[in-house]
Amino acid sequence: MSTPVNTFRIMLLADPGLPTRRVNSIQESFSAEARRLIGDEVSVYSETRMLKIRPDDTLDLSAVREIDDENEDADAVIMLTEIPRHTKGHPLISEIFPEQNIAIVSCPTLGAWATKRRIQKVFTGSLLRLLPEGTGPDPEKYDARWSRWQDTERGTALGLFAHTFTGGPRTVLGMVLGNDPMRAVPKLSSALAAGAATGAFGIFYSSIWQMADALSSTRLLLVGLAAVATMIFWLILRDGLWDRPKNRSLATVVTLYNGSTVITLLFCIMVLYLFLVLAIFLGALVIIDAEYMSTVIGREAELSTYLHIAWFSAGLGVFAGAIGSSFDSGVDLRRLTHGQRERQRQYTQGA
């Protein structure tokens, strides 16, 4: 009679979006590594779920266990969440709860350019610390130089903390990547249309040619920066994208939220602005005759003259046309920033 095989079950949970994509990218290699280290028959399965938070913005670990109970009982649960975690004044990469056999890994704290190897090392180090002592190899072999394990503020929990100096910027950039700014750019199509309609006047009005030619490169750059900054301010104000901490303990995390929101919007608006510049520049080359422009501005027209007109006209387009525009839908807005998505987590919990 054959002896039943002891299967060690590992459940990987991931928030929708970037966390799910990252889990999918390492699941196969992580499974192979787990089999090599643990020695038993290992089964690794994954699921996409949004990790809930309580009304006080703390993680609801019971919700993780509820998800596990819906499936076969797992021996270890590793959750990759897009929530930026921060405690003891340091960004928290991973936190393990040995009594519950749960590890919570923060996707933003891993950074914007986290490689598959880095993510797998964090997963492996977290998994080995969930195993009974002496079961697997020394987990410190999988620790990175830019992080360290130590006790957290939650009793028996153990946390992997990022370096103080580099952890904050890495977390903000990781949050920006989690906002998927390239996917957010098309959601501002109404602002782009308004800006293009207004900016196109720069092709047909000779007074704009003269003004653009008279301005120095520094002043033109300032016009562009002012237009982008104004658009960012308007979107934040109009759509309520600025988060305020509910209590002092959340001030640092909310600062990370707001920083990532500003950088995400900066990226989106800069892409739109440069697209406007390119479109107006090409339109000007086709429509405006160089000899006629030379008679208007009083000197020979050059390629840089067309570029100055395009840059200045795009700035006017953002100032005059795009102000008052917003995201194409409320759904697009709610998916843009971490703060907005966390409100969805609370709503889901209360529903």
Side-chain angles (χ1 to χ4, degrees):
M1 183 176 181
S2 59
T3 304
V5 178
N6 182 25
T7 302
F8 189 90
R9 294 179 294 274
I10 303 172
M11 183 177 189
L12 303 180
L13 293 176
D15 278 335
L18 179 63
T20 294
R21 296 197 297 271
R22 284 183 163 175
V23 165
N24 291 339
S25 69
I26 69 163
Q27 182 171 346
E28 185 175 343
S29 58
F30 175 72
S31 301
E33 181 75 358
R35 294 187 188 97
R36 185 181 68 84
L37 294 176
I38 298 177
D40 294 337
E41 185 71 22
V42 174
S43 173
V44 179
Y45 54 102
S46 63
E47 187 172 338
T48 298
R49 288 286 187 95
M50 182 174 285
L51 183 62
K52 297 179 182 179
I53 58 175
R54 301 187 182 94
D56 61 354
D57 291 323
T58 58
L59 291 175
D60 187 0
L61 294 180
S62 62
V64 178
R65 267 303 169 197
E66 288 175 6
I67 297 173
D68 178 31
D69 291 341
E70 294 175 6
N71 303 272
E72 297 180 358
D73 291 335
D75 297 289
V77 178
I78 301 177
M79 172 75 191
L80 184 63
T81 178
E82 69 166 358
I83 298 175
R85 309 198 62 208
H86 200 279
T87 186
K88 284 190 173 183
H90 305 286
L92 182 59
I93 301 171
S94 177
E95 187 173 22
I96 63 172
F97 302 86
E99 294 181 356
Q100 292 87 11
N101 292 324
I102 294 175
I104 307 292
V105 180
S106 174
C107 190
T109 317
L110 289 168
W113 296 280
T115 61
K116 295 180 182 180
R117 181 173 177 271
R118 175 185 291 182
I119 300 171
Q120 184 167 316
K121 284 184 67 174
V122 173
F123 272 39
T124 303
S126 302
L127 173 64
L128 292 177
R129 285 175 170 84
L130 290 176
L131 300 177
E133 188 173 351
T135 302
D138 184 3
E140 293 185 1
K141 295 180 180 179
Y142 295 87
D143 295 346
R145 291 178 296 176
W146 46 271
S147 60
R148 67 185 184 279
W149 287 91
Q150 64 183 58
D151 294 335
T152 67
E153 299 170 343
R154 284 172 278 273
T156 58
L158 187 65
L160 177 64
F161 292 88
H163 192 278
T164 306
F165 181 73
T166 60
R170 182 189 295 117
T171 300
V172 171
L173 292 177
M175 293 170 68
V176 171
L177 184 64
N179 289 337
D180 279 339
M182 284 303 298
R183 298 187 181 188
V185 170
K187 310 305 180 184
L188 289 166
S189 59
S190 60
L192 175 63
T198 305
F201 281 97
I203 299 177
F204 302 101
Y205 281 83
S206 58
S207 58
I208 295 180
W209 307 350
Q210 294 172 321
M211 187 176 298
D213 184 64
L215 293 174
S216 64
S217 298
T218 301
R219 285 183 178 272
L220 285 171
L221 179 62
L222 290 176
V223 168
L225 293 177
V228 171
T230 302
M231 189 63 183
I232 292 173
F233 176 78
W234 176 256
L235 288 174
I236 290 176
L237 181 66
R238 176 187 172 93
D239 296 308
L241 300 181
W242 194 260
D243 291 293
R244 293 178 175 83
K246 296 178 182 178
N247 54 67
R248 293 180 61 184
S249 64
L250 297 174
T252 301
V253 174
V254 171
T255 299
L256 296 177
Y257 288 170
N258 291 330
S260 67
T261 297
V262 170
I263 296 175
T264 300
L265 290 177
L266 175 62
F267 178 87
C268 293
I269 304 305
M270 282 299 300
V271 170
L272 291 178
Y273 189 93
L274 294 176
F275 182 84
L276 278 177
V277 170
L278 178 62
I280 296 172
F281 175 73
L282 295 176
L285 286 176
V286 173
I287 296 173
I288 305 175
D289 180 74
E291 292 184 5
Y292 177 64
M293 182 188 292
S294 298
T295 62
V296 172
I297 64 177
R299 68 177 185 86
E300 185 178 353
E302 301 174 347
L303 197 63
S304 61
T305 309
Y306 287 90
L307 182 59
H308 285 187
I309 293 173
W311 185 273
F312 186 62
S313 300
L316 294 178
V318 172
F319 272 125
I323 294 299
S325 299
S326 182
F327 292 92
D328 293 352
S329 73
V331 174
D332 298 331
L333 171 64
R334 288 192 293 272
R335 291 176 179 172
L336 178 68
T337 67
H338 277 77
Q340 297 290 334
R341 292 194 295 275
E342 285 207 9
R343 292 186 184 94
Q344 286 184 291
R345 295 174 189 269
Q346 292 177 339
Y347 177 80
T348 301
Q349 181 186 23

